[in-house]
Structure formats: structure tokens, C-alpha cells
Amino acid sequence: MATVAEKFATIVGPANVLAGDRIGPDYHHDEALVGPPQAPRYLVYPGSAEETAALLVMASDAGVPVTARGSGTGLSGACRPVADGLVLSFERMATILEIDVDNQVAIVQPGVTLAALEEATRPYGLMYSVFPGEQSASIGGNVATNAGGMRAVRYGVTRHNVLGLQAALASGDLIRTGGKLTKVSTGYDLTQLIIGSEGTLALATEVTLRLFPRPAHSATLMVAFDDLTAVMAAVPTVLRTGVAPSILEYLDTRTLDALSQAQGLELGIDPTVRSAAQAYLVIGLDNREQDRLDADITMIGELLDNSGSLDIYVLNGNSARLLIEARDKAFWSAKAAHADEILDVVVPRASMPEFFVRAEGLARLSNAHLAGCGHAGDGNVHLAVFCPDDDREHLLHSIFSIALELGGAISGEHGLGRIKTAHFSALTDPANLALMRRIKDSFDPAGILNPGVILD
Amino acid sequence: MATVAEKFATIVGPANVLAGDRIGPDYHHDEALVGPPQAPRYLVYPGSAEETAALLVMASDAGVPVTARGSGTGLSGACRPVADGLVLSFERMATILEIDVDNQVAIVQPGVTLAALEEATRPYGLMYSVFPGEQSASIGGNVATNAGGMRAVRYGVTRHNVLGLQAALASGDLIRTGGKLTKVSTGYDLTQLIIGSEGTLALATEVTLRLFPRPAHSATLMVAFDDLTAVMAAVPTVLRTGVAPSILEYLDTRTLDALSQAQGLELGIDPTVRSAAQAYLVIGLDNREQDRLDADITMIGELLDNSGSLDIYVLNGNSARLLIEARDKAFWSAKAAHADEILDVVVPRASMPEFFVRAEGLARLSNAHLAGCGHAGDGNVHLAVFCPDDDREHLLHSIFSIALELGGAISGEHGLGRIKTAHFSALTDPANLALMRRIKDSFDPAGILNPGVILD
């Protein structure tokens, strides 16, 4: 009788199935800081949507749990395998199928990276707006976690930029949802349901993405403030103007120090300001025309001058690029500084100051400390948590509880994965959880798709 | 033993329950042109989310189908009642609960009308961007159909502007989804699943809406072209500039004639142009600053001058207002002209010319004729169909088939309701339909929520 691995090989060919010790350690984990790696039993590389669907049927029949994997850059352990499970890696499905200029749409396979898409869209003067920072991340992974990033304040997150999917169901059916369409009112929105489901409902085998015209001129402002409360007070002031910044980030001084140390970032900030400022607002502006951009910079600068900023720096092209790149790599700087966990809690943006004060209070009680940066326009907080192991889960639970009390959620863009699902279960209304479980069952009755993620 | 009506009265009070002949004819229909009105057996006005949830439990127990109703302005029959059913009208739940200026969010009950929300947001310099035209429509109805409208090309449709819900489930549970948050990656997106589900999954009892700053200066351009193909060729040209028009509509000459006749619209279009032009593009532009708006008008005007337009009119404030109001009322003009049906098919916007040619060909075969206007930036076509009764369903089916062949969908913004569900069933992949049915069962196992809509 054929082994399970042999059965998989009948679908994808023997060269595309690995088992046991032949599976390299890269496939045992993603970039989540918490929890041990886990070897899967099988690693399979499908070459097409049809192969993906056939693999799911076979896994269902054999009762083998399936964890889909893009580039493995996730931060919540959503592609950390299950023992005895199958890792279904989309590396071979990495073709950009179409750039449709008139409809401003790209159609890609899930293994396509953000870097590849950036390169492919640039010659057309178009761009894919979602910018979570890690350019080696795959579109399939972005769909699974509903990736966000710095430009969400203007363009929205993955959810707002995926127009349609082809997806493989556990039943082996391949369905198509949405299309090159920005609006549809024709049945339930399966596209939106699958986005952010972290591989637990269906696997995207083709993704239709919205593209935007690439702005011609851009600038980055770095604005120093006394503290985070002052930064956050400036945010609604900026947004009320209607200028619609493409980036609206905050950094605390600990994070700026870590970025500077880890990446040699030099921004020419006056030492007096540097020692006085506890927090910074980073504002990205762009425009089709340089003179309008210049006028916007002046207007925003004057506004913030009158709103208690300590100093404002218009970064030149190189400094701006370095700052944004450093901010992209904030995760790596925090990791280098031995952070124990990186959170991405989201709260209503006006509640960020209260959140910071209460989270700091909790951290002090646990002898922990926090450093942070994040998406000030979206209320999305990236907290690096430095905390002794035995107190950590308790502290995280308390921080999540505060976020929920303020009307927020556990994750704004990283997803729950294996490392936050237990907190989600404990903190979520049982009626919501029960409904989500029934939805999960309606897609995946055998429970083979990434068990233990989102629902435990 | 208490009658069903008496049981409902224990929840909402006797004054808020009507039965049989006491229910006025307005509650027998919405504004769909096709199909006969239907009297419900019960009409109930809940006063709160809790009452709504309790009514659903009682209806489940009694096996009474429930059709939710906002203002009854839908165009697909989604709130046409079921015989022996209950109409649950949200007229009493029409309070704007909060306008949160710093978070740019409004929280409203489902019975709040677009007109009321417009009035409430104006003093704050904010606006709710979704603009389907009929200002007496309710937010609950907009959520149910995923309403779109003229400003979707810039701001998206209802789906993109609802951040959270409170919703009553058939089980009697009240759940909360999302919040004052533009990004969340924390479990399945129930908000998006409920939006556009036309009262078949859950009933929104509170809606959190995104608001945008109100632009200070606006202008409307009316651009005459030889024909629709020329209009559609101009659309990508406009969008490629990155100017992001707030409105990008087309009108054919039959529709403009109908609007002019029905509403006395005078736009000062040169008679020579009027007789030569078969189609028009209407472009809404706005800006925070008048000089930028003026420069954008000049730039777009020159661009279209070089793209084969016959003439360009910058409408003054009053003419622009009248044109947009007339366009809002295009449905009523078509109705007054005895259209048999109004479609809202959506196709990729670059496929609109092919769609028009093929739809016209089909109409000729059925001795029908078509007139149209719609959302050129979104590929969303409003076709008024004038067709003898016995051929109508066949013609509609063929037109929907063409839309699907071109990668489109049956409805871009009106929903399926009772009048397009059969076409949807016939034209949709059985795997998609089966999955939608399982999702429906996961919300509403007794099948009491608007049976016959979306799934038949």
C-alpha cells in the first residue's frame, strides 16, 4: 500500500515531496519570537491550483493537518507546522500572471513576493499599495494574515486591496470569488471571509490585486514631541486637514535609539531636541506635483509648530529612505535587542495615549519594559515587550485586555497564529467564537486546515 | 394560549405589533420594478438591539420567516415580505448615537437615514462618503445591500466604510464585530460577511461608520463624446493621472433626454453637440484649495480635448447640483419612462464597451431597448431595460451571462433580493453556492432570515 508521502507524490511528483529529516529547519517556524520550532512530517510544493486542491482532498482523507506557507515571514506563528502535519509551501507558485493597466489590477500566484510585485508594477507607473515592510513576504501570506503596514492610513490594508481570489477548499473544489471589480453585491463576500483567516478556511491559489498610480513626488517629515501623548494629539490635527498622508507613524525614543544603533541611522536631529524628545511622528506626504507637495509640507509644518512640536525635520531623499527602511526593520532591531515579544495591538487612534499609560503601568508591575513604534493613523501599536518568561503570558493577557476595554483588538495586522489564539479564545465573547467555529466547520468539516490557529 | 402576535407584543409592546389588514401597503414591497407586492402576516417595530434579538428567537421558535426593512428603498426586492412572514421594521431605531470627531467615526442605529447622517456630520466638517443617491435610504438597508453610488470611485462602497457592527443572530445572541478601527486581523471578519448579506445572516442593530473630511471646493465637468466606447476609452486616461475624481459617471443620450424631460434639466449644451453626442462622461473633482481644483480642471480638460471629446462643460454650482440630483433620480426617470427593469451589472471597467455592444445585440433580438447610465470608474452599469414581458427573464439571463463571461457579476450595488436570486442560482458555480448555503446554515439553522433571498 502506498504511504501518504507516495500519495502526495502522485499529485506533485516525487521531487516535490519531502518527509521527515529531509525537511530543512527553515520550515519548522516563521519569525514569531514566542514558542519552539516544530518539524512537520511532510513538506509539499504544489505547482498549480489543481494540485493544491488535490493535496487538500488527500490530506482530508488521510487526516493530515495542513499548514500553508508563503515566505515564512509571519510574526504570529501561523505557519509553524503541526506535529505529523503537512507544510504546503507555495514557493513554486510565484508567477505574476497579469498586470492589467486599464483596470489597474494585477493577478498573481500566492508565492509572488512583494518585492517581485514592486518591480513588475514600477514600469507601468502603478504600485501595489500594501507595504508591511518585509518585502520578501508573499502575497499568499499577506492574504492569510490581512497584512497592513505603513501605507494603510491612506490605502487600507490587504483586505481593501484584494479584489478577488481563486481558492482551494478542503473538499477539493476550486472556487473563484470577486474579480477585477471594486464593487460587488452578489452573494456573500467569500473574498473578505478568506482574507485574514490564516490558512484555516481555504488556500488562495490566485489573487487579484488593486493597483494605484505611483505618486511622482514624496517627502518625509520627522516631528519631535515631548512625549507620546503629544504625538497622538497631533494625529487628528493632521488628518483633519484632508491632506491624507501616505504614512503616519510614531516612534518612541527607545525605538529610535535601537534603530540608530542596529542600523547606523543618522538623521541630523539636534542633540538638544534629541535629549528632550521622548517621541516622534513620521509623516509621509506625496503629490503628483512638486509645488503642491512643498505647499503641503509648509502647511503641515506650521500646523504642528502651533501644536506643541519641539522641532520638525524635512528629511532629504536619502535620510527619508533610510528612516523608512529602518522603520521597516524595527522588528529586527527589537529582536536584536532581545525583545521577548512584539505585539501589534490595535485601538481607536484617539485612545492610544490612554493605552500607553495603562500598558506602561502594567509593565512596571511585572518588572517588564516596553518600547514601541507603530501606525499612529490607524491606532496600531507595535510594542516590543521585554519581560521575564514566567510573567510574560500574564502581562500579554493584561495588555490585550486593556486594548479590548478600549474598543480595540488583539492584532491589527500580524494575525493570531499559534501564539495569540489562546488569548483570543479567553478574551472573546463565546457567541462570536461559536459562530466562527460554525463558519470554520462549513469550510473544513474534517478540521485539517491549520488546526489550533484562530480557534483552538 | 398566546397567539404569535401576542408573543411579539410581550417583547415590543402591543403598540408596536401590527397583523393582517392593519399593515399598510407600503410594507408589501420595496422599489423593485419586477414582481407583485406581498402582504406579510406581522409587522413589528423593535425599539432596541435586545428586542430585535428576542424577536428573532421567538420567530425561530414559531417558524416565522423574518424580513428586515429599513426605508424600503431597495431595488431588488430584498425587503419584499414572505407570505406568513414577519416584517421587522427599524423605523424606531433611528438614533445617531455618536459622532466621534477625533476618530472620524459615527455610530448609528440601523434606521438612521443617509439624509439625517449628512445633516449630523456637516457641522463637524466630516461626511459619510457612501452616496447611493436615495437620501431617505437607511444605513441598515445600505449595510444589507452593500450600497454603492457615485462616490465609490474615490471612497469605496458601504463595505469599505463600515468599521464595525452590533448584530442580532437568529439564536438571539447579540454580537459585536470590528470597532472604531480601520484595521483588524483578529479572527474571521464577521463585519464583512454580514455586509451585503441582505438580511439572510444577521441583522445589524448598530453600525460604526468611517467618516472623511468634507472637501472644501468641488466642480463638475460634463464631457460629450461620440459614443459610449469613446467615453469608456477616456476613463483609464483620467484615472491614470492620479487625480482621483470623486465622481466618474457616464450617461447615454437616451438617459440624458429622459432626465431632461422628467426633471427639466437644462445644462446649456450646444445643440450641435447635443445632436452629435451619443454619450457623456460626468467627472466630479474636489480639492481643499480652489487654485488646485482649477488647475486640475484645466489639466483634465486638456487631456480629454486630446482624447476625442466633442466638448467639455464645466458646470456652475447650480447646474452641477441639478445634474447630480437628476442622476440621483435616474431610477425614477426610468420608472416614469416605463422601464421594465433596471439592472446594475458590474464588469471590469475596461470591458464596458464590449459589454454594451453585446447587450445591445441581445436587446435587438428580443425587440427590447436599453438606456443607461452608471459608474464608469467602477464598471457598474445601470441599464434600463424596456422589453415585452414574455421575453424579459430570458433577456436578463443572457445579459447577466455576458457580464459573467467578462469577469463581472450580476449586481454591483443593488443586491440580488427576490428578483435576481434565481438568476444567481442558475449562473453560479455549484461549489460556491454550496459553500454559501453552509455559511447561511451556520448563522441561521432554522432558515428564518429572509428565505428566498441570495439562496433559494
Side-chain angles (χ1 to χ4, degrees):
Chain A
M1 211 174 102
T3 66
V4 172
E6 285 164 355
K7 287 182 184 169
F8 291 144
T10 63
I11 298 170
V12 295
N16 294 307
V17 181
L18 298 181
D21 293 344
R22 294 180 58 215
I23 301 169
D26 277 358
Y27 293 91
H28 300 185
H29 64 88
D30 60 8
E31 299 297 345
L33 295 178
V34 176
Q38 170 66 54
R41 180 174 286 186
Y42 312 102
L43 169 62
V44 177
Y45 303 93
S48 68
E50 290 71 22
E51 288 182 10
T52 306
L55 287 168
L56 294 188
V57 172
M58 195 151 282
S60 285
D61 290 349
V64 175
V66 177
T67 296
R69 180 186 171 95
S71 303
T73 59
L75 296 172
S76 295
C79 75
R80 183 182 300 158
V82 177
D84 300 328
L86 160 68
V87 167
L88 196 156
S89 172
F90 282 109
E91 284 158 270
R92 289 173 67 215
M93 291 175 64
T95 304
I96 295 173
L97 301 169
E98 186 183 1
I99 306 278
D100 177 340
V101 173
D102 280 351
N103 285 310
Q104 295 184 350
V105 155
I107 302 183
V108 306
Q109 289 189 314
V112 167
T113 64
L114 289 168
L117 187 59
E118 167 70 12
E119 203 172 313
T121 52
R122 197 186 293 117
Y124 299 101
L126 295 169
M127 65 170 188
Y128 179 57
S129 63
V130 179
F131 188 66
E134 180 53 57
Q135 291 298 94
S136 70
S138 72
I139 295 296
N142 273 223
V143 168
T145 59
N146 186 25
M150 278 192 261
R151 294 195 294 229
V153 67
R154 163 92 66 87
Y155 296 100
V157 298
T158 301
R159 179 174 301 298
H160 306 107
N161 290 282
V162 172
L163 304 178
L165 297 172
Q166 184 194 50
L169 303 183
S171 61
D173 289 305
L174 280 173
I175 59 168
R176 286 196 175 272
T177 71
K180 293 177 175 177
L181 309 168
T182 52
K183 60 194 303 192
V184 181
S185 292
T186 306
Y188 306 142
D189 195 328
L190 301 175
T191 312
Q192 293 299 326
L193 186 53
I194 294 169
I195 295 170
S197 66
E198 304 190 43
T200 65
L201 297 183
L203 304 188
T205 50
E206 193 182 294
V207 186
T208 301
L209 300 167
R210 185 173 191 178
L211 304 177
F212 280 92
R214 213 169 262 265
H217 306 282
S218 61
T220 305
L221 276 63
M222 175 108 183
V223 193
F225 285 90
D226 281 327
D227 54 27
L228 275 177
T229 302
V231 168
M232 296 311 156
V235 167
T237 310
V238 172
L239 291 173
R240 247 195 314 270
T241 63
V243 165
S246 56
I247 291 177
L248 200 55
E249 298 284 300
Y250 77 92
L251 297 165
D252 64 18
T253 192
R254 279 186 193 140
T255 303
L256 188 61
D257 288 347
L259 296 184
S260 302
Q261 275 170 30
Q263 300 175 50
L265 188 66
E266 279 296 341
L267 296 170
I269 299 173
D270 181 279
T272 326
V273 172
R274 186 73 187 256
S275 65
Q278 290 299 306
Y280 297 83
L281 185 62
V282 178
I283 307 174
L285 298 175
D286 55 45
N287 209 293
R288 290 176 299 117
E289 302 189 11
Q290 185 67 49
D291 60 339
R292 293 188 184 186
L293 178 61
D294 293 342
D296 287 348
I297 293 170
T298 305
M299 186 268 286
I300 298 271
E302 285 172 2
L303 198 63
L304 294 180
D305 234 15
N306 298 328
S307 305
S309 68
L310 299 176
D311 211 348
I312 300 176
Y313 300 85
V314 181
L315 301 183
N316 68 37
N318 200 44
S319 300
R321 188 178 54 75
L322 290 173
L323 174 63
I324 299 301
E325 283 178 10
R327 169 62 190 85
D328 273 1
K329 300 194 176 81
F331 167 75
W332 299 105
S333 302
K335 190 174 178 180
H338 305 291
D340 296 293
E341 176 56 316
I342 312 279
L343 302 184
D344 74 312
V345 159
V346 61
V347 296
R349 65 175 179 246
S351 300
M352 290 173 85
E354 182 178 350
F355 175 78
F356 290 128
V357 169
R358 292 177 64 183
E360 280 288 349
L362 287 172
R364 272 194 304 275
L365 290 178
S366 295
N367 292 316
H369 72 269
L370 306 175
C373 59
H375 312 298
D378 307 320
N380 192 191
V381 177
H382 291 301
L383 276 184
V385 181
F386 301 83
C387 181
D389 264 10
D390 47 353
D391 260 19
R392 197 183 56 223
E393 290 303 308
H394 175 69
L395 174 61
L396 297 185
H397 188 89
S398 306
I399 291 176
F400 294 144
S401 300
I402 294 172
L404 268 63
E405 277 175 45
L406 294 172
I410 292 174
S411 170
E413 56 186 18
H414 295 170
L416 298 169
R418 300 207 180 284
I419 69 178
K420 284 174 280 184
T421 288
H423 293 291
F424 177 65
S425 294
L427 289 166
T428 302
D429 175 0
N432 284 47
L433 285 175
L435 179 58
M436 287 187 194
R437 184 166 299 284
R438 293 195 301 271
I439 292 169
K440 161 81 172 168
D441 290 344
S442 73
F443 277 82
D444 178 25
I448 60 153
L449 290 171
N450 227 9
V453 169
I454 296 185
L455 298 166
D456 62 8
Chain B
M1 212 174 99
T3 65
V4 173
E6 285 165 354
K7 288 180 181 170
F8 291 144
T10 62
I11 298 169
V12 295
N16 294 307
V17 181
L18 299 181
D21 294 345
R22 292 182 56 215
I23 301 170
D26 277 358
Y27 293 91
H28 300 186
H29 64 89
D30 59 10
E31 298 298 343
L33 295 179
V34 175
Q38 169 67 53
R41 180 174 287 185
Y42 312 103
L43 169 63
V44 177
Y45 302 93
S48 69
E50 290 71 21
E51 287 182 8
T52 305
L55 287 168
L56 294 188
V57 173
M58 196 151 282
S60 286
D61 290 349
V64 175
V66 177
T67 296
R69 181 187 171 93
S71 303
T73 58
L75 296 173
S76 296
C79 77
R80 184 181 301 157
V82 178
D84 299 330
L86 159 69
V87 167
L88 196 156
S89 173
F90 282 109
E91 285 158 271
R92 289 173 66 214
M93 290 174 66
T95 303
I96 296 174
L97 301 168
E98 186 183 1
I99 307 276
D100 176 340
V101 173
D102 280 350
N103 285 309
Q104 296 184 348
V105 155
I107 301 182
V108 306
Q109 289 189 314
V112 167
T113 64
L114 289 168
L117 187 58
E118 167 70 11
E119 202 172 313
T121 52
R122 198 186 292 118
Y124 299 100
L126 295 169
M127 64 170 190
Y128 179 58
S129 62
V130 180
F131 188 66
E134 181 54 57
Q135 291 297 95
S136 70
S138 72
I139 295 296
N142 273 223
V143 168
T145 59
N146 186 25
M150 279 194 259
R151 294 195 293 229
V153 68
R154 163 90 67 86
Y155 296 99
V157 298
T158 301
R159 180 175 299 296
H160 307 108
N161 291 283
V162 173
L163 303 177
L165 297 172
Q166 183 195 53
L169 303 183
S171 60
D173 289 305
L174 280 174
I175 60 168
R176 287 196 175 271
T177 72
K180 293 177 176 177
L181 309 168
T182 52
K183 61 194 300 194
V184 180
S185 291
T186 305
Y188 306 141
D189 195 328
L190 301 175
T191 312
Q192 292 299 326
L193 187 53
I194 294 170
I195 294 170
S197 67
E198 305 189 42
T200 67
L201 297 183
L203 303 188
T205 50
E206 193 181 296
V207 187
T208 301
L209 300 167
R210 185 174 190 176
L211 303 177
F212 281 92
R214 212 168 262 264
H217 306 282
S218 61
T220 304
L221 276 61
M222 175 109 183
V223 192
F225 285 90
D226 280 328
D227 54 27
L228 275 177
T229 303
V231 168
M232 296 310 156
V235 167
T237 310
V238 172
L239 291 173
R240 252 196 310 271
T241 62
V243 164
S246 55
I247 290 177
L248 200 55
E249 298 284 302
Y250 78 92
L251 295 166
D252 65 17
T253 193
R254 278 186 194 142
T255 303
L256 187 62
D257 288 346
L259 296 185
S260 302
Q261 276 169 29
Q263 299 175 50
L265 188 66
E266 279 296 340
L267 297 169
I269 299 173
D270 181 280
T272 326
V273 172
R274 185 72 186 258
S275 64
Q278 291 298 308
Y280 298 83
L281 186 62
V282 179
I283 307 173
L285 298 176
D286 55 47
N287 208 292
R288 290 175 299 115
E289 301 191 10
Q290 184 67 49
D291 60 340
R292 294 187 184 189
L293 177 62
D294 292 341
D296 286 349
I297 293 171
T298 304
M299 187 268 286
I300 298 271
E302 285 171 4
L303 198 64
L304 293 179
D305 234 13
N306 297 327
S307 306
S309 67
L310 298 176
D311 211 347
I312 300 175
Y313 300 85
V314 181
L315 301 183
N316 69 36
N318 200 44
S319 301
R321 189 178 54 75
L322 291 174
L323 174 63
I324 299 302
E325 282 179 9
R327 169 63 191 83
D328 274 1
K329 301 196 176 81
F331 167 75
W332 299 105
S333 302
K335 190 175 179 181
H338 305 291
D340 296 294
E341 175 55 318
I342 313 279
L343 302 183
D344 74 312
V345 161
V346 61
V347 296
R349 66 175 178 245
S351 300
M352 290 172 85
E354 182 179 348
F355 174 78
F356 290 128
V357 169
R358 292 178 64 184
E360 280 288 348
L362 287 172
R364 274 195 303 275
L365 290 177
S366 295
N367 293 316
H369 71 269
L370 306 174
C373 59
H375 311 299
D378 308 320
N380 194 189
V381 177
H382 292 301
L383 276 185
V385 180
F386 300 82
C387 181
D389 264 9
D390 46 353
D391 260 19
R392 197 183 56 222
E393 290 304 308
H394 174 70
L395 175 62
L396 297 186
H397 188 89
S398 307
I399 291 176
F400 294 144
S401 300
I402 294 173
L404 267 63
E405 277 175 43
L406 294 172
I410 291 174
S411 170
E413 56 185 20
H414 295 171
L416 298 168
R418 299 206 180 283
I419 67 176
K420 284 175 280 185
T421 288
H423 293 290
F424 176 66
S425 294
L427 289 167
T428 301
D429 175 1
N432 284 47
L433 285 176
L435 180 57
M436 288 187 194
R437 184 166 297 285
R438 294 195 299 273
I439 292 169
K440 160 80 173 171
D441 291 343
S442 73
F443 277 82
D444 177 26
I448 60 154
L449 289 171
N450 226 8
V453 170
I454 297 185
L455 298 165
D456 62 8

